[in-house]
């Protein structure tokens, strides 16, 4: 939610987590790790809005739309021919529901993604 705000940076989030003593694997969160988390759909709650986003971007979505109930995260398979623009170009990448639970609401994840891609 913090990053979805227009003026918030990865550094702002990292500083906030450090001030609050929020750790991952007993280590402080770094900007690069936060960036990676916000780009990765494994953390997003895969709902119909997320399904439509990936379909609209040209990703190959393995699961049916009805499976996107807002509980699971997603795996995004980029294939062997990964290009530099892999985080921006979703065409022909494969999206499949993960067995794990998503923790970031889809609308928040999508707002963060749009901010990252701007």
């Amino acid at each position: 939610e913090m990053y979805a705000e227009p003026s918030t940076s990865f550094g702002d989030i990292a500083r906030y987590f450090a001030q609050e003593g929020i750790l991952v694997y007993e280590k402080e969160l770094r900007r690069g790790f936060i960036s990676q988390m916000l780009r990765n759909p494994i953390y997003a709650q895969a709902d119909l809005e997320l399904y439509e986003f990936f379909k609209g971007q040209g990703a190959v979505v393995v699961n049916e739309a009805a499976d996107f109930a807002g509980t699971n995260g997603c795996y995004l398979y980029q294939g062997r021919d990964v290009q530099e623009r892999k985080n921006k170009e979703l065409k022909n990448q494969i999206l499949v529901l993960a067995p794990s639970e998503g923790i970031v609401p889809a609308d928040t994840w999508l707002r963060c993604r749009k901010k990252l891609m701007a």
Side-chain angles (χ1 to χ4, degrees), residues 9-23:
S9 69
F10 295 135
D12 294 334
I13 297 169
R15 282 187 291 281
Y16 172 79
F17 285 167
Q19 289 170 352
E20 297 296 316
I22 299 169
L23 306 173

Side-chain angles (χ1 to χ4, degrees), residues 49-62 76-78 86-96 113:
E49 183 179 16
L50 200 74
Y51 172 87
E52 294 294 336
F53 169 77
F54 279 99
K55 284 293 265 190
Q57 295 293 314
V60 177
V61 182
V62 174
L76 184 62
Y77 295 99
Q78 300 165 344
K86 69 179 180 180
N87 288 318
K88 291 187 178 187
E89 287 289 328
L90 298 174
K91 188 173 182 176
N92 297 325
Q93 293 187 31
I94 300 169
L95 186 80
V96 62
R113 176 149 183 105

Side-chain angles (χ1 to χ4, degrees), residues 13-116:
I13 297 169
R15 282 187 291 281
Y16 172 79
F17 285 167
Q19 289 170 352
E20 297 296 316
I22 299 169
L23 306 173
V24 172
Y25 303 116
E26 306 207 16
K27 295 180 182 178
E28 287 188 5
L29 288 150
R30 302 281 184 211
R31 288 180 296 170
F33 182 75
I34 294 168
S35 171
Q36 181 183 12
M37 282 180 58
L38 291 174
R39 284 184 172 91
N40 193 336
I42 191 69
Y43 301 105
Q45 294 171 338
D47 64 6
L48 193 54
E49 183 179 16
L50 200 74
Y51 172 87
E52 294 294 336
F53 169 77
F54 279 99
K55 284 293 265 190
Q57 295 293 314
V60 177
V61 182
V62 174
N63 301 84
E64 298 294 322
D67 296 335
F68 283 72
T71 52
N72 298 69
C74 297
Y75 290 128
L76 184 62
Y77 295 99
Q78 300 165 344
R80 294 181 186 256
D81 298 325
V82 175
Q83 299 172 0
E84 190 174 313
R85 296 178 50 86
K86 69 179 180 180
N87 288 318
K88 291 187 178 187
E89 287 289 328
L90 298 174
K91 188 173 182 176
N92 297 325
Q93 293 187 31
I94 300 169
L95 186 80
V96 62
L97 287 176
S100 59
E101 187 176 326
I103 58 173
V104 177
D107 63 332
T108 301
W109 188 88
L110 288 166
R111 284 195 323 268
C112 290
R113 176 149 183 105
K114 289 174 185 171
K115 182 177 173 182
L116 286 165

